[in-house]
Amino acid sequence: MCFPALRFLPLALLALLPLVLPAQPVVNLVIDAAAPGKPISPDLVGVFFEDINYSADGGLYAELIQNRSFEYTATEQLTWNAFSFWELVNRGGKGSAAIDIAKPVHPNNPHAVVVMVKEPGEGGFGIANSGFDGIPVKTGAKYDVSFFARQCHMDHPWDANATIEGKPMPVTVRLETKDGASLGEASFEVVGYEWQHLTATITATGSDESARFVLLAKKIGAIALDEISLFPRETFRNRPNGLRPDLAQIIADLHPKFVRFPGGCVAHGNGLGNIYRWKDTLGPVEQRKGQLNLWGYHQSVGLGYHEYFQFCEDIGAKPLPVLAAGVSCQNSAHTPGHGQQCLPLADMPAYIQDVLDLVEYANGPVTSTWGARRAAAGHPAPFGLKYLGIGNEDHITPGFQERFQMIFDAVRKAHPEIVVIGTVGPAPRGPDYDKGWAIANELKIPMVDEHYYEKPEWFWSNLARYDTYDRAKSQVYLGEWASRGNALRNAIAEAAYLTALERNADVVPLASYAPLLAKRGHTQWNPDLIYFTNTAVYPTINYFVQQLFSVNSGDTYLPTTLAPVATPADAAASAVRDSRTGDLILKIVNGANTAKPFHIALDGAKNLPPRATKTVLAGPDADAVNKDGQPSPTQPQTSPFPIAPAFDYEAPANSLTVIRIPSR
Ligand code: AHR
């Protein structure tokens, strides 16, 4: 038995707690709003796109058929072969299929499938594909089917009288539910022994998140098939061979100022034969040269360099391609040899020409060889390439240095207008960092690419990292960074670091969180900024931090002081002015688990409007994370906010607050 009064004792103690805990000291945030300020990069926040985690094939690239050109191999995954993700379909008949290399559609795409029908039965015999974990089909949506086909000369020992020589082969393509119910179909005739390109559009009569594509040949005989494609008619900005609209849109909604592509390690590849060759990714898709993706799957390069440039233009972002520096990834595990491999010096002139040709493809006039190729792809106007990355966190070896310098010298000579971005290793310190910076200083490289994935505490402890960087030396592109988690505490540490990057955006003009996309069930690297399935998109809390800094960027940094600040810091702030709008933008970060009072002074501010907008990203639980298939538990909330030359603001625990003060 216990005294009734004692039952309430814990509650009473709780009520006393604020009296016994030391109150959070008021943090004084002073902004010199009358100062001319320091010019900073308005392009600080961009995105890093790499085909990792099925980001491209099965992700951003809208193609719905997996292994459409029968080029999958056991080098990509031991259990794979040219017929992987296809299966035979028998609708009352008999037949078989085989992979053929005798007469390819294009030498870059050597394999085709030959379907032989011995008995067509009632419904025919053929092949089916379930896409990337099923094909999402929506009622009323249009799907463009296309494939290459030709008849094959055959002996027909099983029925000498039924030969179809000289007669067309009827083919039906159906979208089907798992149970075989039709969601729409189209009919074709394959005629003759040369490749034909056949196309049709199917309007879906039903929905299924996990449909399959079925192609049935309906008479005795044989046909070869290749580059079998099913593309949703609706792509981002309706580009042919385009991008999945919801995924492209969520990237567009970040308003990234630049897009880095195609990697990451994908750029320098798994061994010399796997270096990403941009020229192999141009032109009609059946002529492109797909290859092993270093992350252990196949890259069709249907999303190729032209599509990357087009996407950048479509979302108003500057393109930032990264090419290998004539060496492969240091983690290469492919023959011949392991680790970083260097292109033979004899191959370097041709390699360097490829680099120069890329600049011409992007920027050259239509009268130039590669400018003409761009125009032929439907884009006569230049793409306005300004940045070019050479190398990706390579080991800084003599072999690397020699090749990097050859490329760098050639680009500088031919294209002094291009900002070449060098590389300083995979970490914020260490031998590659030191040697990379030594080369940058020696060659006077305009910018170098720093990479680091660290814990949230590291970011809080390193807010001053760039304050002392020598402004006379190379600028920094923070090309890959993340705080190793998708919890609120990670996102808030990243927000604090972004205030420091803004303060230093005169010497760090570009920064991109990495990686960008990850398909659930195929995630090879955590954390990522956006997770997705075939039908849904899940931005993380970290995404909202990047977005808040991107849409609230400025081009002038105003002197800002914050005191007192703990060691390591648990509060951070920045103040920028956006000259396009005249708006003054404050970012206030509280990394503590309790609310923090700020006294904010806008010294010298003139003509303040009565009201600003306040956007807060905060949550009660610093460990909150959007778990599998769930939307982020924490989303930014925007509301009007009264403003004065000096005011008090209590920043919620674990929060980022953006106060945007419009000019009068
Ligand atoms: O972002 C994932 C990988 O991290 C990149 O491919 C590589 O550059 C880095 O090691």
Side-chain angles (χ1 to χ4, degrees):
M1 189 185 132
C2 103
F3 282 105
L6 285 185
R7 285 178 29 215
F8 296 106
L9 191 59
L11 278 181
L13 282 177
L14 269 182
L16 282 176
L17 223 49
L19 300 177
V20 290
L21 276 183
Q24 279 264 6
V26 173
V27 179
N28 287 301
L29 170 59
V30 181
I31 294 116
D32 187 350
K38 169 174 74 170
I40 55 166
S41 161
D43 292 341
L44 179 62
V45 181
V47 292
F48 163 99
F49 182 88
E50 172 164 35
D51 188 2
I52 181 174
N53 309 315
Y54 279 73
S55 297
D57 291 301
L60 186 59
Y61 182 51
E63 173 63 72
L64 293 168
I65 301 291
Q66 178 154 209
N67 190 14
R68 69 181 173 194
S69 55
F70 305 96
E71 301 302 331
Y72 277 28
T73 71
T75 322
E76 292 158 349
Q77 288 195 17
L78 276 177
T79 56
W80 284 5
N81 57 53
F83 200 60
S84 286
F85 300 95
W86 291 93
E87 58 186 311
L88 298 179
V89 180
N90 182 1
R91 296 282 154 85
K94 276 190 195 160
S96 61
I99 295 297
D100 183 53
I101 52 167
K103 190 178 172 184
V105 169
H106 190 274
N108 283 346
N109 172 12
H111 299 95
V113 68
V114 174
V115 172
M116 287 157 281
V117 184
K118 195 168 171 185
E119 282 174 25
E122 273 187 23
F125 182 88
I127 54 176
N129 189 286
S130 299
F132 297 87
D133 303 336
I135 297 175
V137 169
K138 263 200 215 144
T139 310
K142 289 186 164 37
Y143 297 87
D144 292 322
V145 179
S146 68
F147 57 94
F148 285 82
R150 62 180 174 82
Q151 290 179 280
C152 300
H153 290 289
M154 297 287 300
D155 290 332
H156 302 292
W158 56 81
D159 185 349
N161 299 322
T163 179
I164 64 159
E165 297 281 336
K167 296 182 203 147
M169 167 66 93
V171 164
T172 297
V173 162
R174 290 159 58 95
L175 299 180
E176 289 186 353
T177 65
K178 269 194 289 297
D179 307 327
S182 174
L183 298 167
E185 60 181 61
S187 299
F188 305 84
E189 286 199 330
V190 179
V191 187
Y193 301 96
E194 297 306 322
W195 286 109
Q196 298 170 264
H197 193 219
L198 299 170
T199 60
T201 299
I202 295 176
T203 303
T205 53
S207 295
D208 193 322
E209 291 208 346
S210 200
R212 45 180 216 158
F213 172 99
V214 177
L215 185 151
L216 295 159
K218 298 214 155 159
K219 279 193 180 162
I220 289 176
I223 50 171
L225 300 156
D226 201 0
E227 206 66 29
I228 304 177
S229 170
L230 178 72
F231 233 88
R233 171 68 58 83
E234 190 199 349
T235 59
F236 186 64
R237 303 282 159 88
N238 296 320
R239 300 275 173 216
N241 191 45
L243 307 181
R244 194 176 129 178
D246 55 350
L247 275 178
Q249 189 59 51
I250 197 110
I251 300 170
D253 290 346
L254 272 169
H255 298 279
K257 306 302 188 301
F258 64 90
V259 177
R260 173 197 177 130
F261 58 87
C265 291
V266 157
H268 54 183
N270 191 348
L272 291 179
N274 192 240
I275 287 177
Y276 194 99
R277 301 287 190 151
W278 72 272
K279 286 181 179 173
D280 290 344
T281 73
L282 300 182
V285 288
E286 68 277 7
Q287 296 179 15
R288 299 185 188 188
K289 208 171 181 177
Q291 65 167 349
L292 162 78
N293 180 317
L294 156 148
W295 296 104
Y297 54 101
H298 181 85
Q299 43 188 340
S300 72
V301 297
L303 169 51
Y305 256 69
H306 190 85
E307 289 76 20
Y308 281 122
F309 280 128
Q310 186 62 67
F311 180 50
C312 291
E313 183 176 90
D314 284 345
I315 63 173
K318 294 185 173 73
L320 196 166
V322 175
L323 299 175
V327 302
S328 67
C329 181
Q330 62 270 34
N331 300 316
S332 296
H334 265 266
T335 51
H338 285 258
Q340 185 183 81
Q341 293 149 52
C342 301
L343 281 176
L345 287 175
D347 294 351
M348 283 305 290
Y351 187 77
I352 291 168
Q353 192 55 51
D354 279 357
V355 176
L356 299 178
D357 289 346
L358 175 62
V359 180
E360 187 173 290
Y361 187 86
N363 292 353
V366 293
T367 47
S368 63
T369 308
W370 289 97
R373 286 288 299 270
R374 182 191 68 239
H379 201 286
F383 279 119
L385 181 69
K386 174 178 171 189
Y387 299 112
L388 181 60
I390 303 292
N392 174 64
E393 60 175 46
D394 302 286
H395 265 328
I396 311 294
T397 58
F400 162 86
Q401 182 166 359
E402 186 174 16
R403 283 154 189 81
F404 175 87
Q405 184 164 355
M406 290 168 87
I407 302 168
F408 177 65
D409 288 346
V411 175
R412 186 163 52 177
K413 187 161 169 234
H415 293 289
E417 75 284 4
I418 293 292
V419 178
V420 173
I421 305 175
T423 180
V424 295
R429 61 200 158 260
D432 289 327
Y433 176 85
D434 294 337
K435 289 185 208 159
W437 265 105
I439 295 173
N441 294 337
E442 185 191 324
L443 300 184
K444 300 198 181 339
I445 303 172
M447 206 182 283
V448 295
D449 182 10
E450 292 192 358
H451 292 181
Y452 36 89
Y453 299 91
E454 299 283 346
K455 291 186 174 154
E457 302 79 52
W458 185 92
F459 289 98
W460 279 108
S461 300
N462 282 276
L463 295 178
R465 177 181 174 88
Y466 295 111
D467 292 349
T468 50
Y469 265 45
D470 187 342
R471 269 55 182 169
K473 293 186 175 170
S474 311
Q475 291 189 306
V476 175
Y477 163 37
L478 179 49
E480 294 184 26
W481 73 288
S483 76
R484 294 194 186 160
N486 292 122
L488 178 57
R489 73 170 72 253
N490 298 93
I492 295 306
E494 288 158 11
Y497 205 65
L498 275 162
T499 66
L501 293 178
E502 273 195 334
R503 181 171 67 247
N504 288 289
D506 54 331
V507 71
V508 188
L510 311 169
S512 44
Y513 182 102
L516 179 64
L517 296 179
K519 187 164 196 173
R520 290 212 189 275
H522 297 278
T523 300
Q524 300 157 310
W525 182 287
N526 268 308
D528 302 281
L529 202 60
I530 301 164
Y531 292 83
F532 64 93
T533 64
N534 277 344
T535 51
V537 175
Y538 305 106
T540 58
I541 312 176
N542 318 61
Y543 170 94
F544 293 115
V545 167
Q546 295 287 324
Q547 188 185 46
L548 283 171
F549 275 81
S550 176
V551 301
N552 290 297
S553 61
D555 49 13
T556 304
Y557 190 83
L558 296 176
T560 303
T561 58
L562 197 66
V565 178
T567 309
D570 65 358
S574 64
V576 298
R577 202 181 280 287
D578 174 19
S579 67
R580 286 164 316 158
T581 56
D583 293 2
L584 171 61
I585 305 153
L586 314 183
K587 287 149 191 132
I588 300 154
V589 182
N590 177 14
N593 284 325
T594 51
K596 199 182 274 295
F598 283 81
H599 180 72
I600 301 173
L602 302 171
D603 282 3
K606 292 199 187 83
N607 294 326
L608 281 176
R611 233 169 260 293
T613 52
K614 178 187 73 168
T615 305
V616 182
L617 183 74
D621 178 6
D623 294 317
V625 62
N626 39 336
K627 293 258 176 354
D628 278 2
Q630 295 304 312
S632 166
T634 311
Q635 310 233 352
Q637 306 294 331
T638 301
S639 56
F641 186 71
I643 205 82
F647 58 96
D648 293 322
Y649 173 66
E650 185 170 82
N654 302 301
S655 66
L656 162 65
T657 302
V658 179
I659 298 177
R660 187 166 189 123
I661 308 167
S663 66
R664 278 256 236 203

